[in-house]
Amino acid sequence: MAGPVVLRALQTLRPRCLTSATSGRFPAPVESVLRPASCVWYPPRRRSTPVRALHMCSALCAGHNKWSKVKHIKGPKDEARGRMFMKFGMLIKIAVKEGGSNPDMNLNLAHILEQCRSKNMPKVSIEAAIKSAEKAKPATQHTIEARGPGGCLLLIEVLTDNNSRCQQEIKRLLIRNGGMLSDGARHNFNKRGVVLVPGQNVSTERALELAIEAGAADVQETEDEEEQPVLQFICDMTDLKKVRASLEELGVQITSAGLEFVPRTFLSLDEGQLDAASALIEALNDYPDVVRVWDNIQADS
């Protein structure tokens, strides 16, 4: 038989490295013909770096990445959506504090509620925000002036029940992200009425015609948080309702209308400064007491 012949040959070549005998007709198992550690002719190679074992299983190699998609895509979107609704709740609280909880008698509240609906904020959340605003403990609203990376100017609107804590935290966030408090930044902004209109398929010439017909003082092209083009029709605060009504009569779809701080002059930043300024504004918006942040950064820089 071939098995015994091979076994005898191996025993002749390596007598010290095999087991003493095998039983039955079949050759010894594979393990029995391998050299034990004491019979290795050459010393084992030493590795300069440790060896890490690789463990694989079918579950890890199946390619299912649902959680990674949720974590990297859905998670940040849901988090941003929650922050947006929280900011709207703060705006509602400010509006109720200034003019009462009846939107028919409070134009600012009516505009904010319209923005909430345009962003699909649940009706239950809107009603809860109005009720909580009526029963909320006293809070103060004020605007903090600051300067950011590259010399950009910032207005930070806050609503807080602890002015000292809020001021210190805003100052800390500014310093950590390359900014500083700066008195006088407010002088570069005017509070104006702003009507937002979708900018798809609207040429610059047509936008100017609409602004003239509606009685707006200016129109600017920009993008919303979803990077969709929008048009800002800017007017005096007292003309906001009239301009909005005129645009609706002209068949224009209104996204939102409200009062905002509009820069008098804009500032262009290089790529590094723009990234740093974006990080600063994001950090400020993440702070719970911050309602909104206005800047004078050139949109197309």
Side-chain angles (χ1 to χ4, degrees), residues 157-247:
E157 184 179 3
V158 300
L159 181 68
T160 180
D161 56 2
N162 189 325
N163 288 329
S164 177
R165 179 201 64 201
C166 178
Q167 189 84 5
Q168 290 299 321
E169 184 63 20
I170 295 297
K171 183 178 179 180
R172 184 186 66 82
L173 290 172
L174 288 168
I175 295 174
R176 176 180 292 183
N177 292 277
M180 59 186 295
L181 296 175
S182 177
D183 293 335
R186 186 193 302 265
H187 299 311
N188 192 63
F189 295 84
N190 289 322
K191 197 163 189 179
R192 310 293 297 274
V194 178
V195 181
L196 290 183
V197 171
Q200 293 91 339
N201 304 320
V202 179
S203 64
T204 303
E205 292 77 9
R206 180 54 181 161
L208 291 172
E209 292 176 359
L210 290 172
I212 294 173
E213 294 179 24
D218 192 12
V219 58
Q220 297 178 358
E221 299 178 347
T222 184
E223 292 182 345
D224 59 14
E225 63 274 8
E226 298 177 356
E227 299 184 356
Q228 297 299 318
V230 295
L231 297 174
Q232 291 182 326
F233 289 88
I234 302 172
C235 61
D236 291 335
M237 292 187 293
T238 56
D239 294 335
L240 178 60
K241 187 175 181 179
K242 182 184 70 175
V243 170
R244 175 197 171 132
S246 299
L247 288 171

Coordinates of all heavy atoms in Angstrom, one line a residue, residues 157-247:
E157 N -27.9 86.9 18.5 CA -29.2 87.2 19.3 C -29.4 86.0 20.2 O -29.4 84.9 19.9 CB -30.4 87.3 18.3 CG -31.7 87.6 19.1 CD -32.9 87.7 18.1 OE1 -32.7 87.5 16.9 OE2 -34.0 88.1 18.6
V158 N -29.5 86.4 21.5 CA -29.7 85.4 22.6 C -30.9 85.6 23.4 O -31.4 86.7 23.5 CB -28.4 85.3 23.5 CG1 -27.2 85.0 22.7 CG2 -28.3 86.7 24.2
L159 N -31.4 84.6 23.9 CA -32.6 84.6 24.9 C -32.2 83.7 26.1 O -32.0 82.5 25.9 CB -33.8 84.1 24.2 CG -35.1 84.1 25.1 CD1 -35.5 85.5 25.4 CD2 -36.2 83.3 24.4
T160 N -32.0 84.3 27.2 CA -31.5 83.6 28.4 C -32.1 84.1 29.7 O -32.6 85.2 29.8 CB -29.9 83.8 28.4 OG1 -29.4 83.0 29.5 CG2 -29.5 85.2 28.5
D161 N -32.1 83.2 30.7 CA -32.5 83.6 32.0 C -31.3 83.8 32.9 O -31.4 84.0 34.1 CB -33.4 82.5 32.6 CG -32.7 81.1 32.6 OD1 -31.6 81.0 32.2 OD2 -33.4 80.1 33.0
N162 N -30.1 83.7 32.3 CA -28.9 84.0 33.1 C -27.9 84.7 32.2 O -27.1 84.2 31.5 CB -28.3 82.7 33.6 CG -27.1 82.8 34.6 OD1 -26.3 83.8 34.5 ND2 -27.0 81.9 35.5
N163 N -27.9 86.1 32.3 CA -27.1 86.9 31.4 C -25.6 86.7 31.6 O -24.8 86.6 30.6 CB -27.4 88.4 31.6 CG -28.8 88.7 31.0 OD1 -29.2 88.2 30.1 ND2 -29.4 89.7 31.7
S164 N -25.2 86.6 32.9 CA -23.7 86.4 33.1 C -23.2 85.1 32.6 O -22.2 85.1 31.9 CB -23.5 86.5 34.7 OG -22.2 86.3 34.9
R165 N -23.9 84.0 32.8 CA -23.5 82.7 32.3 C -23.4 82.7 30.8 O -22.5 82.3 30.1 CB -24.4 81.6 32.8 CG -24.1 80.2 32.3 CD -25.3 79.3 32.4 NE -26.4 79.8 31.5 CZ -27.7 79.5 31.7 NH1 -28.0 78.7 32.7 NH2 -28.6 80.0 30.8
C166 N -24.5 83.3 30.1 CA -24.6 83.3 28.7 C -23.4 84.1 28.1 O -22.8 83.7 27.1 CB -25.9 83.9 28.3 SG -26.1 84.0 26.5
Q167 N -23.2 85.3 28.7 CA -22.1 86.2 28.2 C -20.7 85.5 28.2 O -20.0 85.5 27.3 CB -22.1 87.5 29.0 CG -21.1 88.5 28.4 CD -21.8 89.4 27.3 OE1 -23.0 89.2 27.1 NE2 -21.0 90.2 26.7
Q168 N -20.5 84.8 29.3 CA -19.2 84.1 29.5 C -19.1 82.9 28.5 O -18.0 82.7 28.0 CB -19.1 83.6 30.9 CG -18.9 84.7 32.0 CD -17.6 85.5 31.7 OE1 -16.6 84.9 31.4 NE2 -17.7 86.8 32.0
E169 N -20.1 82.2 28.3 CA -20.1 81.1 27.4 C -19.9 81.6 25.9 O -19.1 81.0 25.2 CB -21.4 80.3 27.5 CG -21.4 79.0 26.7 CD -20.3 78.0 27.1 OE1 -19.8 78.1 28.2 OE2 -19.9 77.2 26.2
I170 N -20.6 82.6 25.5 CA -20.4 83.2 24.2 C -19.0 83.7 24.0 O -18.3 83.4 23.0 CB -21.4 84.3 23.9 CG1 -22.8 83.8 24.0 CG2 -21.1 85.0 22.6 CD1 -23.1 82.8 22.9
K171 N -18.4 84.3 25.0 CA -17.0 84.8 24.9 C -16.1 83.6 24.8 O -15.1 83.7 24.0 CB -16.7 85.6 26.2 CG -15.3 86.2 26.2 CD -15.1 87.1 27.5 CE -13.7 87.6 27.5 NZ -13.4 88.5 28.7
R172 N -16.3 82.6 25.6 CA -15.5 81.4 25.5 C -15.5 80.7 24.1 O -14.5 80.4 23.5 CB -15.9 80.4 26.5 CG -15.0 79.1 26.6 CD -15.5 78.1 27.6 NE -16.8 77.6 27.1 CZ -16.9 76.6 26.2 NH1 -15.7 76.0 25.7 NH2 -18.0 76.1 25.8
L173 N -16.7 80.6 23.5 CA -16.8 80.1 22.2 C -16.1 80.9 21.1 O -15.5 80.4 20.2 CB -18.3 79.9 21.8 CG -19.1 78.8 22.6 CD1 -20.6 78.9 22.3 CD2 -18.6 77.4 22.3
L174 N -16.2 82.2 21.3 CA -15.6 83.1 20.3 C -14.1 83.0 20.4 O -13.4 82.8 19.3 CB -16.0 84.6 20.6 CG -17.4 85.0 20.3 CD1 -17.7 86.4 20.9 CD2 -17.6 85.0 18.8
I175 N -13.5 83.0 21.6 CA -12.0 82.9 21.7 C -11.5 81.5 21.2 O -10.5 81.4 20.5 CB -11.6 83.1 23.2 CG1 -12.0 84.5 23.6 CG2 -10.2 82.8 23.4 CD1 -11.7 84.8 25.1
R176 N -12.3 80.5 21.5 CA -11.9 79.1 21.1 C -11.9 79.0 19.6 O -11.1 78.2 19.0 CB -12.8 78.1 21.7 CG -12.5 76.7 21.3 CD -13.5 75.7 21.9 NE -13.2 75.5 23.3 CZ -13.9 74.7 24.1 NH1 -14.8 73.9 23.6 NH2 -13.6 74.6 25.4
N177 N -12.7 79.7 18.9 CA -12.9 79.6 17.4 C -12.4 80.8 16.7 O -12.8 81.1 15.6 CB -14.3 79.3 17.1 CG -14.8 78.0 17.6 OD1 -14.6 76.9 17.0 ND2 -15.5 78.0 18.8
G178 N -11.4 81.5 17.2 CA -10.8 82.6 16.5 C -11.6 83.9 16.4 O -11.4 84.7 15.5
G179 N -12.5 84.1 17.4 CA -13.3 85.4 17.4 C -13.1 86.1 18.6 O -12.3 85.8 19.5
M180 N -13.9 87.2 18.8 CA -13.7 88.1 20.0 C -15.0 89.0 20.0 O -15.7 89.2 19.0 CB -12.5 88.9 19.9 CG -12.4 89.8 18.7 SD -10.8 90.7 18.5 CE -10.9 91.8 19.9
L181 N -15.3 89.5 21.2 CA -16.3 90.5 21.4 C -15.9 91.8 20.7 O -14.7 92.1 20.8 CB -16.6 90.7 22.8 CG -17.2 89.5 23.6 CD1 -17.3 89.8 25.1 CD2 -18.5 89.0 23.0
S182 N -16.8 92.5 20.1 CA -16.4 93.7 19.4 C -17.6 94.7 19.4 O -18.6 94.5 18.7 CB -16.0 93.3 17.9 OG -15.7 94.5 17.2
D183 N -17.5 95.7 20.2 CA -18.5 96.7 20.2 C -18.5 97.5 18.9 O -17.4 97.8 18.4 CB -18.3 97.7 21.4 CG -18.5 97.0 22.8 OD1 -19.2 96.0 22.8 OD2 -17.9 97.5 23.8
G184 N -19.7 97.8 18.4 CA -19.8 98.6 17.2 C -20.1 97.8 16.0 O -20.4 98.4 14.9
A185 N -20.1 96.5 16.1 CA -20.5 95.6 14.9 C -21.9 95.9 14.5 O -22.2 95.8 13.3 CB -20.3 94.2 15.3
R186 N -22.8 96.3 15.4 CA -24.2 96.5 15.1 C -24.3 97.6 14.0 O -25.3 97.6 13.3 CB -24.9 96.9 16.4 CG -26.4 97.0 16.2 CD -27.0 97.7 17.4 NE -26.7 96.9 18.6 CZ -27.6 96.0 19.1 NH1 -28.7 95.7 18.5 NH2 -27.2 95.4 20.2
H187 N -23.4 98.6 14.0 CA -23.5 99.7 13.1 C -23.4 99.3 11.6 O -23.7 100.0 10.7 CB -22.5 100.8 13.4 CG -22.6 101.3 14.8 ND1 -23.8 101.8 15.3 CD2 -21.6 101.5 15.8 CE1 -23.6 102.2 16.5 NE2 -22.3 102.1 16.9
N188 N -22.9 98.1 11.4 CA -22.8 97.6 10.0 C -24.0 96.8 9.5 O -24.1 96.3 8.4 CB -21.6 96.7 9.9 CG -21.2 96.4 8.4 OD1 -20.9 97.3 7.7 ND2 -21.3 95.1 8.0
F189 N -25.1 96.8 10.4 CA -26.3 96.1 10.0 C -27.5 97.0 10.2 O -27.5 97.9 11.0 CB -26.5 94.9 11.0 CG -25.5 93.8 10.8 CD1 -24.3 93.9 11.5 CD2 -25.7 92.7 10.0 CE1 -23.3 92.9 11.4 CE2 -24.7 91.7 9.9 CZ -23.5 91.8 10.6
N190 N -28.5 96.8 9.3 CA -29.8 97.5 9.4 C -30.9 96.5 9.6 O -30.8 95.4 8.9 CB -30.1 98.3 8.1 CG -29.2 99.5 8.0 OD1 -28.9 100.2 9.0 ND2 -28.8 99.8 6.8
K191 N -31.8 96.7 10.5 CA -32.9 95.8 10.6 C -34.0 96.1 9.5 O -34.5 97.3 9.5 CB -33.5 95.9 12.0 CG -34.4 94.7 12.4 CD -34.7 94.7 13.9 CE -35.4 93.4 14.2 NZ -35.6 93.3 15.7
R192 N -34.2 95.2 8.7 CA -35.1 95.4 7.5 C -36.1 94.2 7.5 O -36.0 93.2 8.1 CB -34.3 95.4 6.2 CG -33.1 96.3 6.3 CD -33.5 97.8 6.3 NE -34.3 98.2 5.2 CZ -33.8 98.7 4.1 NH1 -32.4 98.7 3.9 NH2 -34.5 99.1 3.1
G193 N -37.2 94.5 6.7 CA -38.1 93.4 6.3 C -37.5 92.6 5.2 O -37.0 93.1 4.2
V194 N -37.7 91.3 5.3 CA -37.1 90.4 4.3 C -38.2 89.3 3.9 O -38.7 88.6 4.8 CB -35.8 89.6 4.7 CG1 -35.3 88.7 3.7 CG2 -34.8 90.6 5.1
V195 N -38.5 89.3 2.6 CA -39.4 88.3 2.1 C -38.6 87.3 1.2 O -37.9 87.7 0.3 CB -40.5 88.9 1.2 CG1 -41.5 87.9 0.7 CG2 -41.2 90.0 2.0
L196 N -38.7 86.0 1.6 CA -38.0 84.9 0.9 C -38.8 84.3 -0.2 O -40.0 83.9 0.1 CB -37.4 83.9 1.9 CG -36.3 84.3 2.8 CD1 -35.9 83.1 3.7 CD2 -35.1 84.9 2.1
V197 N -38.3 84.1 -1.4 CA -39.0 83.6 -2.5 C -38.1 82.5 -3.1 O -36.9 82.8 -3.3 CB -39.3 84.7 -3.5 CG1 -39.9 84.1 -4.8 CG2 -40.3 85.6 -2.9
P198 N -38.6 81.3 -3.5 CA -37.8 80.4 -4.3 C -37.2 81.0 -5.5 O -37.8 81.7 -6.3 CB -38.7 79.2 -4.6 CG -39.8 79.4 -3.6 CD -40.0 80.9 -3.3
G199 N -35.9 80.7 -5.7 CA -35.2 81.4 -6.9 C -35.0 80.5 -8.1 O -34.3 80.9 -9.0
Q200 N -35.6 79.3 -8.1 CA -35.5 78.5 -9.3 C -36.2 79.1 -10.5 O -37.3 79.6 -10.3 CB -36.1 77.1 -9.0 CG -35.3 76.2 -8.0 CD -35.8 76.4 -6.6 OE1 -36.4 77.4 -6.3 NE2 -35.5 75.5 -5.7
N201 N -35.5 79.1 -11.6 CA -36.1 79.6 -12.9 C -36.5 81.0 -12.8 O -37.4 81.4 -13.6 CB -37.3 78.7 -13.3 CG -36.9 77.2 -13.4 OD1 -35.9 76.9 -13.9 ND2 -37.8 76.4 -12.9
V202 N -35.8 81.8 -12.0 CA -36.1 83.3 -12.0 C -34.8 84.0 -12.3 O -33.8 83.9 -11.6 CB -36.6 83.7 -10.6 CG1 -36.8 85.2 -10.6 CG2 -37.9 83.0 -10.2
S203 N -34.8 84.7 -13.4 CA -33.6 85.4 -13.9 C -33.4 86.6 -13.1 O -34.3 87.1 -12.4 CB -33.7 85.7 -15.4 OG -34.8 86.7 -15.6
T204 N -32.1 87.2 -13.1 CA -31.8 88.4 -12.4 C -32.7 89.5 -12.9 O -33.2 90.3 -12.0 CB -30.3 88.7 -12.6 OG1 -29.5 87.6 -12.2 CG2 -30.0 90.0 -11.8
E205 N -32.9 89.6 -14.2 CA -33.8 90.7 -14.7 C -35.2 90.6 -14.2 O -35.8 91.6 -13.8 CB -33.8 90.7 -16.3 CG -32.4 91.0 -16.9 CD -31.4 89.9 -16.8 OE1 -31.8 88.7 -16.4 OE2 -30.2 90.1 -17.1
R206 N -35.7 89.4 -14.2 CA -37.1 89.2 -13.7 C -37.2 89.5 -12.2 O -38.2 90.1 -11.7 CB -37.6 87.8 -13.9 CG -39.0 87.5 -13.4 CD -40.0 88.5 -14.0 NE -41.3 88.2 -13.5 CZ -42.3 89.1 -13.5 NH1 -42.1 90.3 -14.0 NH2 -43.5 88.8 -13.1
A207 N -36.1 89.2 -11.4 CA -36.1 89.4 -10.0 C -36.1 90.9 -9.7 O -36.9 91.4 -8.8 CB -34.9 88.8 -9.3
L208 N -35.4 91.7 -10.5 CA -35.4 93.1 -10.4 C -36.7 93.7 -10.7 O -37.2 94.7 -10.1 CB -34.3 93.8 -11.2 CG -32.8 93.5 -10.8 CD1 -31.8 94.0 -11.9 CD2 -32.5 94.1 -9.5
E209 N -37.4 93.2 -11.8 CA -38.7 93.7 -12.2 C -39.7 93.4 -11.0 O -40.5 94.3 -10.7 CB -39.2 93.0 -13.4 CG -38.4 93.4 -14.7 CD -38.8 92.6 -15.9 OE1 -39.7 91.7 -15.7 OE2 -38.2 92.8 -17.0
L210 N -39.6 92.3 -10.4 CA -40.5 91.9 -9.3 C -40.3 92.9 -8.1 O -41.3 93.3 -7.5 CB -40.4 90.5 -8.9 CG -40.9 89.4 -9.9 CD1 -40.4 88.0 -9.4 CD2 -42.4 89.5 -10.0
A211 N -39.0 93.2 -7.8 CA -38.7 94.0 -6.7 C -39.3 95.4 -6.9 O -39.9 96.0 -6.0 CB -37.2 94.1 -6.5
I212 N -39.2 95.9 -8.2 CA -39.7 97.3 -8.5 C -41.2 97.3 -8.4 O -41.8 98.2 -7.8 CB -39.2 97.7 -9.9 CG1 -37.7 97.9 -9.9 CG2 -39.9 99.0 -10.3 CD1 -37.1 98.2 -11.2
E213 N -41.9 96.2 -9.0 CA -43.3 96.2 -8.9 C -43.9 96.0 -7.5 O -45.0 96.5 -7.2 CB -43.8 95.1 -9.9 CG -43.5 95.3 -11.3 CD -44.0 94.1 -12.2 OE1 -44.9 93.4 -11.8 OE2 -43.4 93.9 -13.3
A214 N -43.2 95.3 -6.7 CA -43.7 95.0 -5.3 C -43.3 96.1 -4.4 O -43.9 96.1 -3.2 CB -43.1 93.7 -4.8
G215 N -42.4 97.0 -4.8 CA -42.1 98.1 -3.9 C -40.9 97.8 -2.9 O -40.7 98.5 -1.9
A216 N -40.2 96.7 -3.2 CA -39.0 96.4 -2.4 C -37.8 97.3 -2.7 O -37.7 97.7 -3.9 CB -38.6 94.9 -2.7
A217 N -37.0 97.5 -1.7 CA -35.8 98.4 -2.0 C -34.7 97.7 -2.6 O -33.9 98.3 -3.3 CB -35.4 99.0 -0.6
D218 N -34.6 96.4 -2.5 CA -33.5 95.6 -3.1 C -33.9 94.2 -3.1 O -34.8 93.7 -2.5 CB -32.2 95.8 -2.2 CG -31.0 95.3 -2.9 OD1 -31.0 95.0 -4.1 OD2 -29.9 95.1 -2.2
V219 N -33.1 93.4 -4.0 CA -33.3 92.0 -4.0 C -32.0 91.3 -4.1 O -31.1 91.8 -4.9 CB -34.2 91.6 -5.3 CG1 -33.6 92.1 -6.6 CG2 -34.4 90.1 -5.3
Q220 N -31.7 90.3 -3.4 CA -30.4 89.6 -3.3 C -30.6 88.1 -3.6 O -31.6 87.5 -3.2 CB -29.7 89.8 -2.0 CG -29.4 91.3 -1.7 CD -28.8 91.4 -0.4 OE1 -28.6 90.5 0.4 NE2 -28.4 92.7 0.0
E221 N -29.7 87.5 -4.3 CA -29.7 86.1 -4.5 C -28.8 85.4 -3.5 O -27.7 85.8 -3.2 CB -29.1 85.8 -5.9 CG -29.9 86.4 -7.1 CD -29.3 86.1 -8.4 OE1 -28.2 85.6 -8.4 OE2 -30.0 86.3 -9.4
T222 N -29.4 84.3 -2.9 CA -28.6 83.5 -1.9 C -29.1 82.1 -2.0 O -29.8 81.7 -2.9 CB -28.8 84.1 -0.5 OG1 -28.0 83.4 0.4 CG2 -30.2 84.1 -0.1
E223 N -28.7 81.3 -0.9 CA -29.1 79.9 -0.9 C -29.6 79.6 0.5 O -29.2 80.2 1.5 CB -27.9 78.9 -1.1 CG -27.4 79.0 -2.6 CD -26.3 78.0 -2.8 OE1 -25.7 77.5 -1.8 OE2 -26.0 77.7 -4.0
D224 N -30.6 78.6 0.6 CA -31.1 78.2 1.9 C -30.2 77.1 2.5 O -29.1 76.8 1.9 CB -32.5 77.8 1.8 CG -32.7 76.6 0.9 OD1 -31.7 76.0 0.5 OD2 -33.9 76.3 0.5
E225 N -30.6 76.6 3.6 CA -29.8 75.5 4.3 C -29.7 74.3 3.5 O -28.8 73.4 3.7 CB -30.4 75.2 5.7 CG -31.8 74.6 5.7 CD -32.9 75.7 5.7 OE1 -32.5 76.9 5.5 OE2 -34.0 75.3 5.8
E226 N -30.6 74.1 2.5 CA -30.5 72.9 1.6 C -29.8 73.2 0.3 O -29.9 72.5 -0.6 CB -31.9 72.3 1.4 CG -32.6 71.9 2.7 CD -34.0 71.4 2.4 OE1 -34.4 71.5 1.2 OE2 -34.6 70.9 3.4
E227 N -29.1 74.4 0.3 CA -28.4 74.8 -0.9 C -29.3 75.0 -2.1 O -28.8 74.9 -3.3 CB -27.2 73.8 -1.2 CG -26.2 73.7 -0.1 CD -25.1 72.8 -0.5 OE1 -25.1 72.2 -1.6 OE2 -24.1 72.6 0.3
Q228 N -30.5 75.4 -1.9 CA -31.4 75.7 -3.0 C -31.4 77.2 -3.2 O -31.4 78.0 -2.2 CB -32.8 75.2 -2.7 CG -32.9 73.7 -2.6 CD -32.5 73.0 -3.9 OE1 -32.9 73.4 -4.9 NE2 -31.8 71.9 -3.8
P229 N -31.5 77.7 -4.4 CA -31.5 79.2 -4.6 C -32.7 79.9 -4.1 O -33.8 79.3 -4.3 CB -31.3 79.3 -6.2 CG -31.9 78.0 -6.7 CD -31.5 77.0 -5.7
V230 N -32.6 81.0 -3.4 CA -33.7 81.8 -3.0 C -33.4 83.2 -3.2 O -32.2 83.7 -3.4 CB -33.9 81.6 -1.5 CG1 -34.4 80.1 -1.2 CG2 -32.7 81.9 -0.6
L231 N -34.5 84.0 -3.3 CA -34.4 85.5 -3.5 C -34.8 86.2 -2.3 O -35.9 85.8 -1.7 CB -35.2 85.9 -4.7 CG -34.8 85.3 -6.1 CD1 -35.9 85.7 -7.1 CD2 -33.4 85.8 -6.5
Q232 N -34.1 87.1 -1.8 CA -34.4 87.9 -0.7 C -34.9 89.3 -1.1 O -34.1 90.1 -1.7 CB -33.2 88.1 0.3 CG -32.8 86.9 1.0 CD -31.6 87.1 1.9 OE1 -30.8 88.0 1.7 NE2 -31.6 86.4 3.0
F233 N -36.2 89.6 -1.0 CA -36.7 90.9 -1.3 C -36.7 91.7 0.0 O -37.4 91.4 1.0 CB -38.2 90.8 -1.8 CG -38.2 90.2 -3.2 CD1 -38.3 88.8 -3.4 CD2 -38.2 91.0 -4.3 CE1 -38.4 88.3 -4.6 CE2 -38.2 90.5 -5.6 CZ -38.3 89.1 -5.8
I234 N -35.9 92.8 0.0 CA -35.6 93.6 1.2 C -36.3 94.9 1.1 O -36.4 95.6 0.1 CB -34.1 93.8 1.3 CG1 -33.3 92.5 1.3 CG2 -33.7 94.7 2.5 CD1 -31.8 92.6 1.2
C235 N -36.9 95.3 2.3 CA -37.7 96.5 2.3 C -37.7 97.1 3.7 O -37.1 96.5 4.6 CB -39.2 96.2 1.9 SG -40.0 95.0 3.0
D236 N -38.3 98.2 3.9 CA -38.4 98.8 5.3 C -39.3 97.9 6.1 O -40.2 97.2 5.6 CB -39.0 100.2 5.2 CG -38.0 101.2 4.5 OD1 -36.8 100.9 4.6 OD2 -38.4 102.2 4.0
M237 N -39.1 98.0 7.4 CA -39.8 97.1 8.3 C -41.3 97.4 8.2 O -42.2 96.5 8.3 CB -39.4 97.3 9.8 CG -38.0 96.8 10.1 SD -37.5 96.9 11.8 CE -37.5 98.7 12.1
T238 N -41.7 98.7 8.0 CA -43.1 99.1 7.9 C -43.7 98.6 6.6 O -45.0 98.6 6.5 CB -43.2 100.6 8.1 OG1 -42.4 101.2 7.1 CG2 -42.8 101.0 9.5
D239 N -42.9 98.3 5.6 CA -43.4 97.9 4.3 C -43.5 96.4 4.1 O -43.9 96.0 3.0 CB -42.6 98.5 3.2 CG -42.7 100.1 3.2 OD1 -43.7 100.6 3.6 OD2 -41.7 100.7 2.7
L240 N -43.2 95.7 5.1 CA -43.0 94.2 5.0 C -44.4 93.6 4.5 O -44.4 92.8 3.6 CB -42.6 93.6 6.3 CG -42.5 92.1 6.3 CD1 -41.5 91.6 5.2 CD2 -42.1 91.6 7.7
K241 N -45.4 94.0 5.2 CA -46.7 93.4 4.8 C -47.2 93.7 3.4 O -47.7 92.9 2.7 CB -47.8 93.8 5.9 CG -49.1 93.2 5.7 CD -50.1 93.6 6.9 CE -51.4 92.9 6.7 NZ -52.3 93.3 7.8
K242 N -46.9 95.0 3.0 CA -47.3 95.5 1.7 C -46.5 94.8 0.6 O -47.1 94.3 -0.4 CB -47.1 97.0 1.6 CG -47.5 97.6 0.3 CD -47.2 99.1 0.2 CE -45.7 99.3 0.2 NZ -45.4 100.7 0.0
V243 N -45.2 94.6 0.8 CA -44.4 94.0 -0.2 C -44.8 92.5 -0.3 O -44.8 92.0 -1.5 CB -42.9 94.1 0.2 CG1 -42.0 93.3 -0.7 CG2 -42.4 95.6 0.1
R244 N -45.0 91.9 0.7 CA -45.4 90.5 0.7 C -46.7 90.3 -0.1 O -46.9 89.5 -1.0 CB -45.6 89.9 2.1 CG -46.1 88.5 2.1 CD -46.6 88.1 3.4 NE -47.3 86.8 3.3 CZ -47.2 85.8 4.1 NH1 -46.3 85.9 5.1 NH2 -47.8 84.7 3.9
A245 N -47.7 91.2 0.2 CA -49.0 91.1 -0.5 C -48.8 91.4 -2.0 O -49.5 90.7 -2.8 CB -50.0 92.1 0.2
S246 N -48.0 92.3 -2.3 CA -47.7 92.7 -3.7 C -47.1 91.5 -4.5 O -47.5 91.2 -5.6 CB -46.9 93.9 -3.8 OG -47.5 95.0 -3.2
L247 N -46.2 90.8 -3.9 CA -45.5 89.6 -4.5 C -46.5 88.5 -4.7 O -46.5 87.8 -5.7 CB -44.3 89.2 -3.7 CG -43.1 90.1 -3.7 CD1 -42.1 89.6 -2.6 CD2 -42.5 90.1 -5.1

